[in-house]
Amino acid sequence: MTTTEHTAADLTSPDHAAHAGPFDDARAQLRDAVTILGYDDGMYALLANPRRELTVSVPLRRDSGEIELLIGHRVQHNVSRGPAKGGLRYSPDVTIDEVRALAMWMTWKCALLDVPYGGAKGGIRIDPRQYSRAELERVTRRYTSEISPLIGPDHDIPAPDVGTDEQTMAWMMDTYSVQKGHTVLGVSTGKPVSLGGSLGRATSTSRGVVHVALAALQSRGIRAEGATAAVQGFGKVGRHAARFLEDAGVRVVAVSDQYGAIRADGGLEIAALESHVDATGSVVGFANADPISNDDLLAAEVDLLVPAAVEGVIHAGNAAQIRATVVVEGANGPTTPEADRLLNEAGTLVVPDILANAGGVIVSYFEWVQANQAYWWRVDEVEARLAERMLTAWEHVNAHAEKLGLPLRTAATCLAVERVAHAAQLRGLYP
């Protein structure tokens, strides 16, 4: 087990900054907010760098008997406002800088939605599609054991992300509980309901995206009934978001996944598409739609575009082709800073990830509260409280943006950074 420590000088050095990526994007957004808020370089350095990082080796015995070594990370960006909170992703593209960026965005997300957490994130560099269920269980349990000094219901609470699910969280909870000698339901969220999960958690991020998307469309004078949408990514977030948009009267005309994209100008029948995906594993080949490229999907002339896959899909090279009136970020970091600037200049309304996809952390917070109280809420209670939180945050960010003449992302980041900085100032430095 290796603990990695970085000083402000390490992470803000020219050599580090030369490598553009999600962490550079996250820190560029922070720098803009710090400048607007009038904080000094010391506050920027405090907020630009993770509080704690852990990089671990995860040895795996494959079903064949071979031994393979995987690398995992857990980053706690900031804990000024409460325990760290953030997802765990399994992806072949996981890097320490990606995990740092995601942890920072989680800090702002929790602060913006007034959830009493700081930001964290974890990841293992692995393609889960290439491993058996038994192998993934062994990976999860070994990783959990290695990072156990950092996690816990009062310290750091993981949740599902790309490549992980409620079963992953159940394995994490069990591994941690075995080490403690008793069941600790609050160590992870996004668990199965039968193991202390919350009703409504599985669809919470998607519901939050749609609550904000409908409010954003309304702010541009676009009625949900008859509006058009394209959803990039048909996984955990995009799939449910497409269904909820359809339920609201929005015509979803294009969707995509990692294998390809499809379009039907008359609107896709989402229930039939979900059945097709369950049977084949992809949206490709859906009988009632035409195949298109992912670039064509992003450039579709629609009222609403929901990028709900991975980081950096809208960038300087394709921002000029985006024709959607409203872009609502279902994924973390799907728009680079340069693309964000170009979209704002073009008059496109971009609802940032730290607001748009915060539904997951809100209901994770509800799950944590329920686990700590050993009292479970009805699904209608969960969904009503989620809607209230999301719409209150939307109204606050939108009003702040209009008052100061700022893009939504800058307004949201400023509000979040101000709350975290205020907490840090109140707590002071030790010693």
Side-chain angles (χ1 to χ4, degrees):
M1 183 172 70
T2 305
T3 301
T4 308
E5 299 288 346
H6 290 281
T7 65
D10 290 330
L11 293 182
T12 56
S13 67
D15 286 343
H16 181 84
H19 301 284
F23 191 42
D24 298 294
D25 292 348
R27 296 199 306 167
Q29 294 162 6
L30 172 63
R31 174 61 80 182
D32 289 344
V34 164
T35 300
I36 291 168
L37 292 166
Y39 295 136
D40 59 21
D41 287 344
M43 180 59 74
Y44 170 78
L46 187 69
L47 299 178
N49 297 291
R51 172 71 174 266
R52 188 179 292 115
E53 298 180 352
L54 188 64
T55 295
V56 297
S57 297
V58 184
L60 167 66
R61 180 178 291 105
R62 300 293 302 264
D63 293 340
S64 64
E66 294 180 83
I67 302 297
E68 182 176 339
L69 188 68
L70 304 167
I71 299 298
H73 308 286
R74 188 71 185 175
V75 173
Q76 295 172 352
H77 171 254
N78 190 282
V79 292
S80 294
R81 300 182 70 255
K85 184 83 184 75
L88 168 64
R89 66 173 46 184
Y90 288 176
S91 167
D93 301 319
V94 164
T95 66
I96 185 63
D97 270 0
E98 177 191 48
V99 178
R100 288 168 177 156
L102 294 166
M104 184 185 293
W105 285 323
M106 183 59 77
T107 296
W108 311 144
K109 191 179 300 182
C110 292
L112 185 65
L113 275 295
D114 200 22
V115 173
Y117 291 137
K121 204 74 176 185
I124 300 176
R125 195 176 307 129
I126 181 175
D127 184 348
R129 297 168 298 180
Q130 306 302 318
Y131 294 78
S132 71
R133 177 185 171 93
E135 289 170 334
L136 291 174
E137 179 176 357
R138 292 196 288 273
V139 166
T140 300
R141 290 186 182 278
R142 182 58 182 256
Y143 171 79
T144 303
S145 179
E146 293 289 349
I147 68 166
S148 61
L150 264 64
I151 64 173
D154 299 319
H155 306 288
D156 183 352
I157 308 105
D161 197 81
V162 174
T164 58
D165 56 20
E166 63 177 20
Q167 178 62 74
T168 315
M169 295 303 106
W171 289 330
M172 291 196 80
M173 185 273 289
D174 180 68
T175 305
Y176 183 86
S177 297
V178 168
Q179 290 186 345
K180 295 298 181 182
H182 61 95
T183 299
V184 186
L185 294 178
V187 69
S188 64
T189 60
K191 301 182 299 298
V193 172
S194 58
L195 288 178
S198 175
L199 295 170
R201 173 61 182 86
T203 59
S204 56
T205 303
S206 306
R207 285 195 183 277
V209 166
V210 173
H211 284 313
V212 170
L214 296 178
L217 287 171
Q218 185 178 30
S219 76
R220 287 295 176 99
I222 301 170
R223 290 169 50 86
E225 192 71 38
T228 56
V231 178
Q232 190 249 349
F234 203 69
K236 285 192 191 106
V237 177
R239 174 173 176 158
H240 297 302
R243 189 197 326 145
F244 297 148
L245 286 168
E246 182 184 58
D247 291 344
V250 176
R251 182 158 41 99
V252 180
V253 300
V255 300
S256 69
D257 60 21
Q258 61 190 312
Y259 304 107
I262 57 173
R263 177 165 185 153
D265 290 338
L268 294 160
E269 187 182 345
I270 302 303
L273 178 58
E274 288 184 295
S275 296
H276 172 79
V277 170
D278 289 341
T280 69
S282 173
V283 301
V284 174
F286 184 54
N288 301 318
D290 299 317
I292 59 172
S293 70
N294 191 62
D295 288 340
D296 289 338
L297 180 141
L298 292 172
E301 191 168 351
V302 291
D303 297 307
L304 171 67
L305 172 63
V306 180
V310 294
E311 308 95 64
V313 297
I314 302 176
H315 46 77
N318 65 6
Q321 280 73 56
I322 304 298
R323 293 186 289 173
T325 304
V326 176
V327 175
V328 176
E329 295 184 331
N332 292 310
T335 309
T336 67
E338 178 63 14
D340 205 37
R341 182 184 66 79
L342 293 171
L343 290 173
N344 283 308
E345 289 176 356
T348 304
L349 181 66
V350 181
V351 184
D353 49 2
I354 62 170
L355 170 60
N357 68 24
V361 73
I362 290 172
V363 180
S364 278
Y365 167 56
F366 294 165
E367 181 179 332
W368 179 73
V369 168
Q370 292 170 81
N372 289 341
Q373 295 177 337
Y375 181 82
W376 310 103
W377 304 346
R378 300 188 313 269
V379 68
D380 60 313
E381 294 177 300
V382 171
E383 291 180 355
R385 293 174 182 184
L386 168 63
E388 180 186 13
R389 288 263 186 162
M390 293 299 301
L391 293 175
T392 297
W394 156 259
E395 290 165 4
H396 194 186
V397 171
N398 194 40
H400 195 64
E402 289 181 356
K403 178 182 176 181
L404 299 181
L406 297 172
L408 287 177
R409 188 186 313 279
T410 306
T413 306
C414 284
L415 285 169
V417 168
E418 187 173 32
R419 289 174 181 174
V420 177
H422 184 58
Q425 290 166 336
L426 287 174
R427 292 182 64 150
L429 295 178
Y430 174 80

